[in-house]
Amino acid sequence: MNERTFRLNIPHSVSYIRRRCRKVEREYLFDPFTVAIRCIHAKDAPVAFRVATADDASFLVREYDSKYWWPLVRPPDGAVDADLFGSLVEREDSGAIKAIDPLVWRSALLRSVPRRDFLSRTDIRKIEKTDFEARKLGAQRGASRLMIIDDIVHAEAGEPMWFVVRGQRDFELHVGSSQFDRPSGFGCEIQGLAVGPRLSAAKEGLAFDLVEAPEELDLLAKKSIEIVRRISLEKLTANNPRSIAPFLCSEILAEDFRSSIKLMSNFSRAFFARRLPILYAAAFKPASDRGAGLSILEELATTDDEDVARWYGDRIMAIAKDIVRRSRSRLTDEDDDAIGSLA
């Protein structure tokens, strides 16, 4: 397997104290370093899905090493080839940098200065903290989730899912990635529905994997919800898709619940501590100890507390109950590995 290297500047923060000062200041710096992106031939990454749209913006999702790889695009240039990607990285384009490390702040990209220049003009007594090694590891990890397939840059972004999005007059059916960690709007982004609308659809319980989509879309039609379909998704491999959408929806909605509790007054927090103890406890635990978001939605969906129902309203309660219903009918022991990989 070949590799292509790219030299880039990833900003990192430094907290420091000047001589004859006590105040801790912070600056964004960058040091150039190199990351490597794998290069393979298309024959080694067979097409797993074909997505076709009415506006002729069709694309292919490929499979390699049991992962799904989506082409990067940069409007209006189209697909991003390796040379274009290299020139964008060299120009410190925010889209290309965030394709490598999605956690880089755009403000840091705009404000960062070369470390050598900063140290030469700043009289520093002590370096309190720096996240250079963490950012370097993040960039290397991000580069491992990129691949050049027949000269086109692809990103590992999970299997495709259906998303029902509210339009101005009706609902529209879209295809997008099942992973939500790649930003949109910076250029050099994966094809398919942008991450913002995908998150909104998931919070509404309107994200469906390929296993459950036919049945769930029929249920929506029976509720007189008209959905405009201007896109098609064709599965071209023999691999069975995973049933992951209920879990994803529950995680995204539960995170909204957890975040809202942190902003509440002590009086409101006490209400949740008494009425929804699982949700309350999860709001203040580190991510590794929170448990699955599905347990939070199950607590909400099964409560008979009228005050809780009034707090969240009929719509949110209905969404929670529907996601729990889908999880009970779809998630099986065979999905444990899939859920573990998404947690």
Side-chain angles (χ1 to χ4, degrees), residues 4-8 10 35-38 71-74 77-101 139 142-143 145-148 151-155 182 186-190:
R4 178 159 176 174
T5 58
F6 297 88
R7 190 170 176 82
L8 72 158
I10 290 286
V35 296
I37 297 178
R38 293 171 290 175
L72 291 185
V73 294
R74 179 180 172 82
D77 300 326
V80 177
D81 61 36
D83 289 337
L84 174 59
F85 190 75
S87 67
L88 293 172
V89 168
E90 187 176 345
R91 301 201 308 262
E92 299 180 16
D93 176 82
S94 59
I97 299 297
K98 289 182 77 66
I100 296 174
D101 186 357
R145 296 181 61 205
L146 295 177
M147 186 178 293
I148 300 171
D151 203 43
I152 300 299
V153 183
H154 287 65
R182 291 192 176 278
F186 295 94
C188 284
E189 55 199 53
I190 59 173

Side-chain angles (χ1 to χ4, degrees), residues 19 38 40 79 108 154 160 164 173 207 306:
R19 292 190 185 278
R38 293 171 290 175
I40 65 171
H154 287 65
V164 179
L173 193 61
E306 295 181 357

Side-chain angles (χ1 to χ4, degrees), residues 16-21 25 117-127:
Y16 64 96
I17 301 175
R18 298 175 187 267
R19 292 190 185 278
R20 295 182 293 278
C21 293
E25 302 178 64
D117 293 352
F118 173 74
L119 293 178
S120 66
R121 60 179 168 79
T122 308
D123 193 8
I124 296 177
R125 174 167 64 88
K126 182 181 180 182
I127 298 289

Side-chain angles (χ1 to χ4, degrees), residues 170-241:
D170 47 31
F171 290 85
E172 297 179 356
L173 193 61
H174 293 265
V175 172
S177 165
S178 57
Q179 295 182 2
F180 297 84
D181 59 342
R182 291 192 176 278
S184 301
F186 295 94
C188 284
E189 55 199 53
I190 59 173
Q191 287 192 262
L193 186 64
V195 65
R198 280 188 279 133
L199 284 169
S200 297
K203 291 176 186 177
E204 296 276 344
L206 296 175
F208 308 105
D209 54 59
L210 301 186
V211 176
E212 64 173 359
E215 181 178 336
E216 295 300 327
L217 293 175
D218 284 345
L219 286 176
L220 291 177
K222 292 177 181 178
K223 295 177 182 178
S224 299
I225 298 178
E226 296 185 6
I227 301 175
V228 178
R229 183 194 294 252
R230 299 190 180 93
I231 194 167
S232 66
L233 173 60
E234 183 181 3
K235 177 175 171 290
L236 300 175
T237 62
N239 293 344
N240 293 323

Side-chain angles (χ1 to χ4, degrees), residues 203 248-262 279 282-283 285 287 290 293 296-297:
K203 291 176 186 177
L248 286 171
C249 291
S250 67
E251 285 297 312
I252 292 168
L253 189 56
E255 180 57 32
D256 256 19
F257 294 160
R258 288 190 289 254
S259 300
S260 65
I261 288 181
K262 293 180 180 179
L279 169 56
K285 289 182 179 179
R290 287 175 187 164
I296 293 174
L297 264 64

